[in-house]
Amino acid sequence: MKLLVSHASPYARKCRITAIEKGIIDLEEVHVNPIDEPEKLNHINPLGKIPCLIYGEGKTLFDSPVICAYFDEIGAGPKLTPAQSPAHWAMRRHEAIIDGILDSALGLVHEYRKPAEKHFDMWIQRWGCAIDRSLSQLNNELDQIGGEISTAQIALGAAIGYLNFRLGEKDWLAPYPELTAWYAEFAKRPSMRKTLPQ
């Protein structure tokens, strides 16, 4: 299997962490820049996005929740996402909130790369507020996310790591001591250390 990634991408990091946690070793990581190297990606994923998994006889999967679910299915050890309701849908809900944090954070990163006079303040405020509201809710629901390693925990670890990496001038977790303590411990996992963004 080949996983097309950027080592700065939090979406790719989710997949890389999941592969490590599930003991998947026959996985080659191929670094691709979707902007500068579209010829390496667009014929595989028509959306032109990473991560993208190539497996079997030229089969492909893309979008990090899909790839993570596939790794959860084929890998070893306990399932990262519960199979049965209501736990299954509770986990998917948290995953959606956390992926929304990543989407908002990516929007901020792109906006801040523009000259200051071209910043769209409405979007900066909207995305920033969405992140803060989501972190607050996750902090309040941390008892539902904690425990054994899970898809939601992996997504949350990658999201907080990305906020620190790309938007670290703000201490996003300062109002949320429980979430701060959780992340400090989760970040010690070997899968987190091996996938630090570059």
Side-chain angles (χ1 to χ4, degrees), residues 8 35 48 53 86 97 122-123 153 168 176 181 188-189:
I35 304 300
L53 180 70
I97 294 172
M122 184 275 288
W123 282 112
Q153 289 185 21
Y176 315 115
K188 296 176 184 177
R189 297 185 73 89

Side-chain angles (χ1 to χ4, degrees), residues 79-97:
K79 292 295 183 184
L80 298 174
T81 299
Q84 302 297 322
S85 297
H88 174 85
W89 296 113
M91 180 79 69
R92 295 301 297 270
R93 173 180 170 274
H94 283 130
E95 185 182 18
I97 294 172

Side-chain angles (χ1 to χ4, degrees), residues 108-167:
L108 285 175
V109 169
H110 288 316
E111 196 67 25
Y112 285 137
R113 284 175 176 167
K114 300 177 184 177
E117 65 273 11
K118 294 186 177 181
H119 286 175
F120 202 144
D121 291 338
M122 184 275 288
W123 282 112
I124 290 175
Q125 182 178 14
R126 181 178 175 85
W127 287 323
C129 289
I131 293 171
D132 283 326
R133 287 194 306 269
S134 298
L135 289 173
S136 177
Q137 183 153 339
L138 292 166
N139 186 72
N140 293 337
E141 298 179 3
L142 197 56
D143 60 323
Q144 303 173 33
I145 301 172
E148 296 298 318
I149 182 73
S150 68
T151 297
Q153 289 185 21
I154 290 170
L156 184 54
I160 294 173
Y162 187 71
L163 290 173
N164 291 340
F165 176 59
R166 288 295 196 200
L167 299 166

Side-chain angles (χ1 to χ4, degrees), residues 11 53 88 99 105 115-116 118 128 133 163 168 173 179 190 193 196:
Y11 305 99
L53 180 70
H88 174 85
D99 280 349
K118 294 186 177 181
R133 287 194 306 269
L163 290 173
L173 297 187
L179 199 52
R193 293 182 176 275
L196 286 171

